[in-house]
Amino acid sequence: MMMSAQAYGDKGKMKEYHYTGPVEHKFSPYAFNGGTVLAVAGEDFALVASDTRLSEGYSIHSRDSPKCYKLTDTTVIGCSGFHGDCLTLTKIIEARLKMYKHSNNKNMTSGAIAAMLSTILYGRRFFPYYVYNIIGGLDEEGRGAVYSFDPVGSYQRDTYKAGGSASAMLQPLLDNQIGFKNMENVEQVPLSLEKAVQLVKDVFISAAERDVYTGDALKICIITKEGVREEIVPLRKD
Amino acid sequence: SRASRKRECRIMATVSVCQYHRGGFSFENCKRNALLEADINKLGFSSPAARKTGTTICGVVYKDGVVLGADTRATEGMVVADKNCSKIHYISPNVYCCGAGTAADTEMTTQIISSNLELHSLSTGRLPRVATANRMLKQMLFRYQGYIGAALVLGGVDCTGPHLYSIYPHGSTDKLPYVTMGSGSLAAMAVFEDRYRPNMEEEEAKRLVRDAIAAGIFNDLGSGSNIDLCVITKGKVDYLRPHDVANKKGVRTGNYRYKHGTTGVLAKTVTPLNLEVVEENVQTMDTS
């Protein structure tokens, strides 16, 4: 006799078959557009890197849609999650940056932008922006700073952080290579800019292997006291 | 004595009634699974997902036979589980079958039918026909009412000529000159509808199938890695795995080898095993 789990209901009794009437399918205001973001802070530099693939379901919308947005000469933000909310959120941040500049006659510092973003996100606590944000930049003393957020505004300053679809794959690797976790007898040299860029490229190569949402190309924004420099590296396109 | 009889009873109580396990599917856990399904989200876990192949598979009939093609990515959710799995399964020396859908279902179904077909072939004394494999597959899949998630592209050459079938999980089949299945089937079919002609030459047919699978690999997130081809003609089978390595892993510039002592050693005991080496075979793994 053929049986299946679907024929049984909650309590383990067989479901009675009956017509439930017209079923309304709920509209979801969110979509998941994939993408991975990564930020690393060094002694006198910061890196914000993201892949450039925009996807939905099993399809690719674009192979050239970077997730890093330059805010000031010393701050870059990486946003992944629902692309609609990423665009709106970055527009709001840019407007707020201008307002601050006009009222206070100076540019916002990285720490100030982070604090402001937290309040913007919490303002939508009951209909959140479906965005995973990571800010990378230089603090007032010129040292590298990374601030990582959750969708409703909880944030903290970090040395390095991965966000987005492949974050669970990248974060442990960074904990090991930058944080020197789970290793003994290793010389803990501070991270140089060249090594950090090399590490970010290698780590994204691995992420593109196993995460279907990550690939196409990698864009790295390198923030130093000279300004913001960009590097683009190709990744797997499948 | 009474003491020994008591001991006997206790032993009998621990051994539950031993049921003879017949082959095939066991539905013992269905009721338990239904109860777990209902509660599992409250506990914060998610139920384990069966590994699906994502997949783009296709087949084409050309002048001298059939060409079957498949990608090589297997996914578990949206994570790649196997970067180079084989989706073109052997049915008989002249019949091969590509499988999309639940990986375990395609593997087991094709193996069962392959085994039964071999016995049938020994009984008839003839090379098996593609139509026979088709009939056996559809009858099995219909019997399971779609619960076996196997979507297949079956192709081969027999005494009546080259044949190609597509078989759906519920048991319906279509006999066509060109077919595609899997999540990348739309991308592959777009290529076929553009460039298919009847009675193509072998090279053109191989190129067409390669391009159809490539369309799936690059435009569908569920498909990826390499392109496998299987060219079946009267008397010869070319199993080309891989036919085209469409995607190579990026070359890492850093060195991530750990030195000895990186993992702390707490204690060390060495036990030598005195073994006689009878047979040695080496299987390389991907350490790139």
Side-chain angles (χ1 to χ4, degrees):
Chain A
M1 188 188 121
M2 265 250 303
M3 293 189 279
S4 82
Q6 283 182 337
Y8 292 92
D10 252 12
K11 304 249 185 316
K13 276 168 48 180
M14 279 200 96
K15 270 195 285 220
E16 278 142 10
Y17 177 78
H18 56 272
Y19 175 58
T20 39
V23 182
E24 188 182 317
H25 296 281
K26 213 163 149 40
F27 166 73
S28 168
Y30 297 117
F32 181 63
N33 297 115
T36 309
V37 200
L38 165 51
V40 178
E43 187 59 48
D44 58 351
F45 68 90
L47 299 178
V48 180
S50 77
D51 72 324
T52 61
R53 174 177 284 177
L54 194 72
S55 38
E56 191 168 342
Y58 276 102
S59 310
I60 299 177
H61 281 315
S62 169
R63 294 195 196 270
D64 187 17
S65 172
K67 289 148 198 74
C68 322
Y69 300 90
K70 182 178 152 181
L71 299 177
T72 66
D73 277 332
T74 54
T75 318
V76 174
I77 188 170
C79 310
S80 71
F82 170 41
H83 193 62
D85 278 349
C86 293
L87 292 174
T88 304
L89 188 62
T90 47
K91 280 203 175 88
I92 289 175
I93 295 171
E94 275 157 17
R96 291 289 296 266
L97 245 55
K98 277 194 198 130
M99 284 157 64
Y100 183 96
K101 179 90 191 272
H102 290 143
S103 329
N104 303 93
N105 202 21
K106 70 186 194 83
N107 287 318
M108 280 187 93
T109 58
S110 293
I113 297 175
M116 179 185 75
L117 179 56
S118 172
T119 55
I120 293 173
L121 293 171
Y122 198 79
R124 287 273 296 254
R125 170 67 179 82
F126 299 109
F127 181 13
Y129 289 109
Y130 180 3
V131 189
Y132 293 92
N133 292 291
I134 307 183
I135 291 178
L138 301 174
D139 66 10
E140 279 143 309
E141 287 146 33
R143 280 197 275 270
V146 165
Y147 297 92
S148 61
F149 295 76
D150 80 347
V152 282
S154 158
Y155 80 110
Q156 65 178 41
R157 184 167 172 177
D158 286 310
T159 321
Y160 55 87
K161 189 85 171 133
S165 59
S167 59
M169 292 183 206
L170 298 183
Q171 192 66 34
L173 186 48
L174 297 175
D175 285 338
N176 177 258
Q177 292 294 314
I178 305 179
F180 302 107
K181 300 275 169 65
N182 304 113
M183 292 211 287
E184 288 175 36
N185 308 317
V186 175
E187 196 194 338
Q188 305 211 346
V189 286
L191 201 60
S192 69
L193 177 59
E194 292 75 31
K195 259 231 99 220
V197 172
Q198 189 188 64
L199 182 65
V200 164
K201 287 176 186 167
D202 290 347
V203 129
F204 263 91
I205 285 171
S206 298
E209 288 286 300
R210 291 290 176 173
D211 179 30
V212 304
Y213 292 119
T214 305
D216 292 329
L218 164 66
K219 182 165 163 184
I220 312 178
C221 296
I222 303 161
I223 309 149
T224 50
K225 61 180 194 302
E226 270 89 52
V228 179
R229 194 181 85 222
E230 286 173 7
E231 239 188 87
I232 299 181
V233 167
L235 291 174
R236 280 176 80 118
K237 291 175 174 39
D238 63 352
Chain B
S1 73
R2 213 213 279 167
S4 65
R5 245 184 290 134
K6 238 193 191 161
R7 233 177 291 128
E8 231 178 14
C9 291
R10 231 177 290 139
I11 294 169
M12 281 300 283
T14 53
V15 174
S16 49
V17 180
C18 194
Q19 281 181 334
Y20 173 71
H21 277 288
R22 320 182 81 104
F25 292 86
S26 160
F27 295 95
E28 284 169 3
N29 288 330
C30 285
K31 212 166 163 195
R32 175 206 77 167
N33 288 348
L35 289 166
L36 279 174
E37 266 313 303
D39 288 332
I40 207 157
N41 290 316
K42 288 185 217 135
L43 295 165
F45 303 110
S46 58
S47 36
R51 187 195 292 185
K52 307 191 85 182
T53 50
T55 306
T56 309
I57 50 172
C58 67
V60 105
V61 175
Y62 74 105
K63 199 176 83 178
D64 308 320
V66 302
V67 180
L68 301 175
D71 74 305
T72 61
R73 174 184 282 182
T75 50
E76 245 170 82
M78 291 318 247
V79 176
V80 177
D82 191 345
K83 294 185 270 187
N84 197 200
C85 73
S86 172
K87 299 185 191 181
I88 306 182
H89 309 284
Y90 168 88
I91 302 283
S92 74
N94 59 325
V95 178
Y96 279 75
C97 185
C98 310
T102 309
D105 287 343
T106 58
E107 190 69 48
M108 292 280 102
T109 303
T110 49
Q111 280 176 359
I112 289 169
I113 265 67
S114 170
S115 167
N116 289 343
L117 204 57
E118 190 178 338
L119 292 168
H120 183 264
S121 165
L122 288 163
S123 168
T124 59
R126 296 179 169 90
L127 199 63
R129 299 191 189 188
V130 189
T132 317
N134 178 55
R135 197 51 89 94
M136 291 164 109
L137 285 163
K138 70 151 56 175
Q139 283 177 350
M140 178 180 174
L141 291 173
F142 182 76
R143 196 163 16 111
Y144 285 95
Q145 288 292 294
Y147 283 102
I148 295 184
L152 310 166
V153 166
L154 175 76
V157 180
D158 56 32
C159 57
T160 45
H163 302 284
L164 183 66
Y165 293 88
S166 63
I167 307 170
Y168 292 82
H170 282 266
S172 65
T173 64
D174 294 308
K175 186 176 192 312
L176 293 162
Y178 56 97
V179 290
T180 64
M181 297 288 255
S183 58
S185 62
L186 271 69
M189 187 50 92
V191 175
F192 275 173
E193 288 293 5
D194 186 31
R195 285 158 45 188
Y196 173 80
R197 298 180 301 112
N199 298 111
M200 284 181 285
E201 292 298 328
E202 181 169 317
E203 277 317 305
E204 193 190 345
K206 279 164 74 173
R207 238 189 339 261
L208 181 62
V209 170
R210 185 250 158 232
D211 288 346
I213 299 292
I217 283 175
F218 292 108
N219 301 105
D220 174 42
L221 296 177
S223 315
S225 294
N226 313 128
I227 299 165
D228 288 351
L229 238 58
C230 186
V231 184
I232 311 172
T233 49
K234 194 172 181 60
K236 187 165 78 96
V237 170
D238 270 332
Y239 193 89
L240 307 161
R241 176 177 155 79
H243 169 66
D244 192 333
V245 181
N247 290 282
K248 279 206 181 62
K249 181 171 184 174
V251 180
R252 286 195 299 258
T253 42
N255 179 24
Y256 300 95
R257 268 215 106 113
Y258 293 129
K259 287 195 269 295
H260 284 290
T262 303
T263 304
V265 178
L266 301 173
K268 186 170 162 180
T269 29
V270 179
T271 316
L273 299 168
N274 296 312
L275 299 170
E276 185 193 309
V277 178
V278 175
E279 190 192 312
E280 192 179 302
N281 55 34
V282 178
Q283 190 174 58
T284 49
M285 66 180 194
D286 180 12
T287 50
S288 61

